[in-house]
Amino acid sequence: MSLELSPDDLAMLAGRDGPAAAMALRIVADTARMLGADRLIDIASSHIDGCLYHGDSGTLFAERLRSDGGRVRVPTTLNVGALDLVHPGRERLGPEQAGMARRLMAAYAGLGCRESWTCAPYQAGHRPALGQDVAWGESNAVVFCNSVLGARTNRYGDFLDICAAITGRAPRAGLHLPENRQATVLIDASGLNPALVAEDAFYPVLGAWLGATVGDAVAAIDGLPRPLAEDRLKALGAAAASTGAVGLFHVVGVTPEAPDRATVFGGVAPRETIRLEAPMLEAARRRLSTGLVPADGRIDAVAIGSPHLSEAEVDALVTGLAGRRIAIPFYACTGRHVLDRIAGDGRRAALDAAGVTLIADTCIVVTPILSAASGLLMTNSGKFAHYTPSTTGWDVLYGSLTDCIESAVTGRVARDEAIWR
């Protein structure tokens, strides 16, 4: 199948809009050919993952786009960077790396992107409409955009995301096509203990199991309670996109493209049906912990907020701490949009008084923030649990938010195992 470019595409390629737009469209068009797309489509917005510093080439690419006159054509938010610009000095980068990371962030701002610096743009006001085509990067943002909002995006990687934003165009392929959004795998959760399903800690585990089981297939989960809180869907999708390549899942009766089984499967029988049982989830929960509880029960740190904490999740943290002070480092990662909301009403002051270290614009797994080269960390994030050992050298223990708070207050592991039995 050959790629057919529109007259506007051809004019952009010929340099009508400047060298940055021409280069960006060459990259988008070549990608479309590799994907077998027949044409390009307009996008309504973009979210950029390429603003995270991984090496000098990324910085130089973004600066080249800017110096060549690049400017985003659609509303565009920015994922986390490598620096906490709100709290300078939180990260432990050398001067050269920090300088290049700062240049990278400045280049993306100079391209006209909104300086959101969050992996949860959908909770910072960037919420495309049902059925809109967009070009988003960052795996949890992609799966939330597709699944919970019902907008349409593929997993746009560095630096295809910014090329799509500059051109306003993307390949017509993958999850942009309605036929590729129908579920093929049915997950029957109706037999699970309702008390377990009522726990926040259940959803990252479900996501971790889902990603490891279905890979990049589109699954529909039936049997979960209705309605389902947005933060639970966020946690489910983030873990599924980390342990697998899930870009879209459906929850029957909850997410917008799954009002019922018949609709989500397009009237076709599921290719596979999996009945969820407690031992499957218990095994997935065990895999999220790579560390062993030491004899004295001591842990070295707690970290939460991947994806970035919502305002509701910050409220739960403040309530759980109940005025107590923590005994070990406790890192809470969130976006500056949340920090703005909690700044003047006592919630930020309560977290500071408790000893919580708030991280904005970045997180502990993408830049060196943890206080040592190794240790044992507890988290309630399936995504943190999956990535922390490989990116930081720390072992992890997975637990609920309550487990994390109680462990931080005492400095020793406190996990309620009863519900999982």
Side-chain angles (χ1 to χ4, degrees):
M1 182 184 299
S2 61
L3 179 69
E4 182 179 347
L5 296 176
S6 71
D8 189 65
D9 293 332
L10 294 171
M12 196 183 306
L13 278 174
R16 181 197 63 195
D17 302 321
M23 179 173 68
L25 192 60
R26 284 198 302 272
I27 292 170
V28 171
D30 284 347
T31 302
R33 292 186 182 98
M34 287 189 289
L35 294 173
D38 61 348
R39 59 185 173 86
L40 305 181
I41 55 174
D42 289 330
I43 58 168
S45 73
S46 189
H47 179 66
I48 306 300
D49 193 34
C51 51
L52 174 60
Y53 177 74
H54 291 296
D56 292 358
S57 59
T59 301
L60 298 176
F61 178 73
E63 289 181 337
R64 169 70 179 274
L65 288 172
R66 184 180 61 181
S67 66
D68 281 352
R71 192 80 179 171
V72 297
R73 288 189 163 204
V74 295
T76 301
T77 47
L78 292 171
N79 196 45
V80 295
L83 302 175
D84 183 340
L85 300 177
V86 178
H87 312 105
R90 288 274 199 264
E91 62 288 323
R92 298 181 294 106
L93 287 174
E96 184 174 342
Q97 284 183 307
M100 291 299 285
R102 191 175 299 277
R103 282 173 54 182
L104 177 63
M105 295 171 82
Y108 275 99
L111 290 168
C113 304
R114 175 182 156 201
E115 295 184 70
S116 50
W117 308 122
T118 181
C119 56
Y122 44 83
Q123 293 183 324
H126 190 175
R127 296 174 75 93
L130 176 66
Q132 277 190 327
D133 287 297
V134 299
W136 280 30
E138 215 299 316
S139 61
N140 104 81
V142 167
V143 72
F144 189 98
C145 181
N146 277 317
S147 309
V148 183
L149 301 181
R152 298 176 178 182
T153 181
N154 290 317
R155 290 167 63 119
Y156 287 92
D158 312 353
F159 302 96
L160 182 59
D161 47 12
I162 188 61
C163 291
I166 287 173
T167 61
R169 302 284 273 169
R172 182 179 176 270
L175 293 175
H176 290 290
L177 301 174
E179 60 267 27
N180 292 338
R181 300 180 65 85
Q182 292 177 351
T184 59
V185 179
L186 173 63
I187 310 298
D188 183 357
S190 61
L192 294 176
N193 180 357
L196 175 61
V197 176
E199 294 289 325
D200 284 341
F202 165 76
Y203 292 89
V205 174
L206 175 59
W209 173 86
L210 182 67
T213 302
V214 307
D216 64 353
V218 178
I221 308 170
D222 200 3
L224 295 181
R226 311 171 189 179
L228 202 54
E230 181 171 293
D231 283 326
R232 292 182 168 185
L233 293 167
K234 174 177 80 169
L236 192 168
S242 300
T243 61
V246 174
L248 166 65
F249 68 88
H250 303 285
V251 180
V252 177
V254 175
T255 54
E257 295 174 85
D260 50 56
R261 280 195 190 185
T263 300
V264 77
F265 286 99
V268 178
R271 184 186 69 202
E272 181 182 7
T273 298
I274 303 173
R275 183 171 176 80
L276 263 182
E277 297 178 353
M280 299 175 182
L281 296 170
E282 173 57 15
R285 186 180 77 102
R286 286 197 304 269
R287 288 193 295 270
L288 289 176
S289 294
T290 62
L292 298 175
V293 179
D296 62 5
R298 292 186 179 274
I299 58 171
D300 300 298
V302 169
I304 63 175
S306 182
H308 275 170
L309 297 175
S310 68
E311 187 175 1
E313 290 171 315
V314 169
D315 287 342
L317 175 58
V318 172
T319 299
L321 285 166
R324 296 174 293 172
R325 187 164 179 84
I326 56 175
I328 57 174
F330 191 123
Y331 303 93
C333 305
T334 190
R336 51 178 63 187
H337 60 286
V338 171
L339 292 184
D340 288 344
R341 292 172 193 155
I342 68 172
D345 59 11
R347 289 178 288 178
R348 172 67 190 259
L351 294 176
D352 290 340
V356 172
T357 300
L358 286 165
I359 305 294
D361 299 344
T362 189
C363 81
I364 61 126
V365 299
V366 299
T367 200
I369 291 174
L370 297 175
S371 57
S374 62
L376 181 61
L377 176 144
M378 181 178 281
T379 184
N380 70 335
S381 162
K383 186 172 182 179
F384 268 168
H386 181 75
Y387 286 122
T388 293
S390 62
T391 61
T392 71
W394 284 54
D395 279 317
V396 293
L397 294 173
Y398 176 77
S400 67
L401 178 61
T402 298
D403 295 340
C404 289
I405 292 170
E406 298 307 316
S407 298
V409 168
T410 63
R412 288 179 169 80
V413 175
R415 287 197 296 180
D416 183 357
E417 306 283 340
I419 192 65
W420 295 98
R421 301 192 192 102

